[in-house]
Structures are given as C-alpha cells and as structure tokens.
Amino acid sequence: GDESNALLEERPQCEPKLSSCIGGYVENRRVLISPKMETDLFEKRRKIANEILASEKEYVRKLALIDEKFYKPLLSANPVLSKEVLKKLFSGVEVVLSFNRDLVEHLEPIISNYGQDTCIGKVFLVRAEYFKIYQTYFKNHKGQASQKVLRALDQKAKASAWKTFCETVSKSQMCQPLPELLELPVQRIPQYHTLVAEYLIYTERSHPDYNDLQQALEMLKRTEYHIKEATTISMLDLEEQFTSSPKFI
C-alpha cells in the first residue's frame, strides 16, 4: 500500500514517460504491481473517464445553446446583423456540435459500463481526421476575436435589441454570456489533450487500451499543433457590417 502511494505521488518526476513507470517499468526492470495498486489505478482511470464524459456532455449542451438559442433565432428574425455576418460570427458551430454529439454517443455506453478492461482510446483515434473540423472555427475565433467583436456590438448598439436579446437568452438559459460560449471550442482541444494524457498516466502498459491511448494522445498533439499553425487570419472586422436599420423581433 505504501509503495503504491509513493509511486503515484512521484508522478511529476516520472514525466513524460509516466505510464512506463506506472505500468511497471523502471530502468528496464519489471516491477510487480500489487492488487491494491491495480485497484488504485483502476479507480483513477474510472474517475478521469467519468470526467471526460461529464465535461463532454456539458460542452455539447452549451454548443447546442449557441446553435439553438442564439444563432438560429437570430437568423430567422430580422437581425441586428446581416445573415452573412451572423454566419461568420457563428462559423463552424453547427459542424462542431454535430461532431461532438457523435463523440458523446460513442463514449457514453462505454464509460457508463466502466470495467477493468474498458477501452476509450479508439473512440478518439478513429475520429482523428474529424478533429480537423475545429480548424475553421479556430480561424474565426482564435485570440478571442469573437469576444472583441461582440463587445464592439454591445458598445455600438447599447440600447438595441441585440444586447437585450443576448442578455435575455443568457438569463433564461442560466448560461454564460455569448462571448464566453463562443470561446468554448477554442478551449476544448487542449482539454482533450490534458484529459487523455492524465488517463494514460494511470494505464498499465499491459492494458488493452494502452497503445490506442498513446496514438490518440499523439493525434491530439498533432491536431492542436496544426490548428494553431493554420490559424493565421483573425475574424473579419464586423463593426462596419451592421445592417443600416437594426431591428429585432
């Protein structure tokens, strides 16, 4: 018991090859894992897996709010902004929402029935190419460009229906303001990276999920890198694209 706790407490010193230490390899020597340590590792994995699922479901809920409570009502009404500008402002939300709903649908039955041999690495790995859909979103929202635009909208139409609408929706849905919601996809890829890396720490090398997790982590690293590299243009200057007579509902 003390040995397993000591090993887990030494986690920061083991990085970046943490799972090699946890998995039972120290300086190329095999270390036997006690039943207590195996149970500890399992419980830590399960806790992180539940965190992955819970955070993903909450993330999807908030993406749906952006799409269903902000974007679509603004498109269907006589908007403060033109439809062209709204599509730029909310660019990529629908695609990202569809992708992440699919991710939840595949993660939930696996994690809800979590066991010693549960594998989640492949769920991420088989969707490697689809994670690139975030690239379009990043182009429009990286560097908090969307927040700057929305603040400009508030300042330019302080008493307008735009501000009233956004505040009413945020209050009725008990959610974050729209600028914060639009920033969520920008934050999510690094969160995946962190969660999968932590999960891998507590996965033994002999576990059936180990190799897939390693590959999934590398995929997430590459995705994060390529998205950042591709993000060279900030959002359009929307301040000049107000419709001439802002009216709303």
Side-chain angles (χ1 to χ4, degrees):
D2 292 340
E3 287 184 11
S4 64
N5 290 335
L7 184 53
L8 292 173
E9 288 170 5
E10 288 175 3
R11 191 176 74 174
Q13 285 72 40
C14 292
E15 291 185 309
K17 296 182 179 179
L18 292 168
S19 50
S20 293
C21 290
I22 298 293
Y25 291 91
V26 181
E27 297 178 357
N28 297 321
R29 289 178 296 157
R30 182 69 179 172
V31 177
L32 295 176
I33 297 177
S34 67
K36 170 66 165 62
M37 184 174 184
E38 188 173 357
T39 300
D40 288 346
L41 295 176
F42 167 73
E43 291 299 334
K44 288 183 182 295
R45 284 200 308 276
R46 181 164 63 177
K47 181 179 179 181
I48 298 166
N50 285 329
E51 183 181 349
I52 290 171
L53 178 60
S55 64
E56 187 66 15
K57 291 171 77 172
E58 179 64 8
Y59 173 53
V60 166
R61 185 185 74 82
K62 290 180 177 180
L63 288 176
L65 281 177
I66 299 172
D67 184 52
E68 297 165 10
K69 302 300 181 180
F70 288 97
Y71 179 44
K72 286 178 179 172
L74 285 167
L75 271 182
S76 62
N78 185 11
V80 172
L81 297 178
S82 68
K83 289 188 177 182
E84 179 186 354
V85 173
L86 283 171
K87 287 178 180 179
K88 291 286 185 182
L89 183 59
F90 292 92
S91 174
V93 170
E94 292 173 300
V95 178
V96 171
L97 173 58
S98 177
F99 168 72
N100 286 93
R101 277 177 169 158
D102 174 75
L103 190 58
V104 168
E105 286 176 9
H106 285 81
L107 281 173
E108 188 161 25
I110 295 171
I111 294 174
S112 297
N113 296 284
Y114 199 86
Q116 189 67 254
D117 293 329
T118 291
C119 297
I120 65 171
K122 192 173 291 294
V123 177
F124 289 94
L125 196 56
V126 299
R127 288 165 178 76
E129 289 301 311
Y130 296 101
F131 274 96
K132 294 177 183 177
I133 64 170
Y134 277 80
Q135 181 170 318
T136 300
Y137 197 93
F138 269 59
K139 282 183 179 179
N140 283 341
H141 297 274
K142 191 173 186 295
Q144 298 184 329
S146 59
Q147 283 89 331
K148 293 176 184 177
V149 170
L150 288 168
R151 281 196 295 271
L153 289 173
D154 279 344
Q155 291 167 6
K156 195 161 185 175
K158 279 187 176 177
S160 73
W162 163 265
K163 185 175 181 181
T164 301
F165 171 77
C166 290
E167 289 178 349
T168 300
V169 173
S170 293
K171 185 175 180 180
S172 67
Q173 299 299 318
M174 294 183 290
C175 65
Q176 297 150 275
L178 180 58
E180 293 180 25
L181 290 173
L182 286 170
E183 189 70 9
L184 293 176
V186 178
Q187 301 163 358
R188 192 56 180 165
I189 294 292
Q191 289 170 356
Y192 288 134
H193 182 182
T194 299
L195 288 165
V196 172
E198 188 176 2
Y199 189 86
L200 182 60
I201 287 169
Y202 298 108
T203 304
E204 304 95 322
R205 291 173 67 98
S206 59
H207 195 282
D209 203 20
Y210 183 82
N211 290 334
D212 283 344
L213 285 169
Q214 275 197 318
Q215 292 179 57
L217 184 59
E218 287 303 314
M219 175 274 293
L220 289 167
K221 287 180 184 177
R222 288 194 302 272
T223 300
E224 190 174 356
Y225 173 78
H226 289 310
I227 285 174
K228 288 178 179 178
E229 285 292 298
T231 309
T232 56
I233 302 174
S234 189
M235 205 170 180
L236 293 173
D237 180 9
L238 298 180
E239 283 191 71
E240 302 303 320
Q241 299 194 42
F242 283 97
T243 50
S244 55
S245 301
K247 295 178 181 178
F248 189 79
I249 301 181

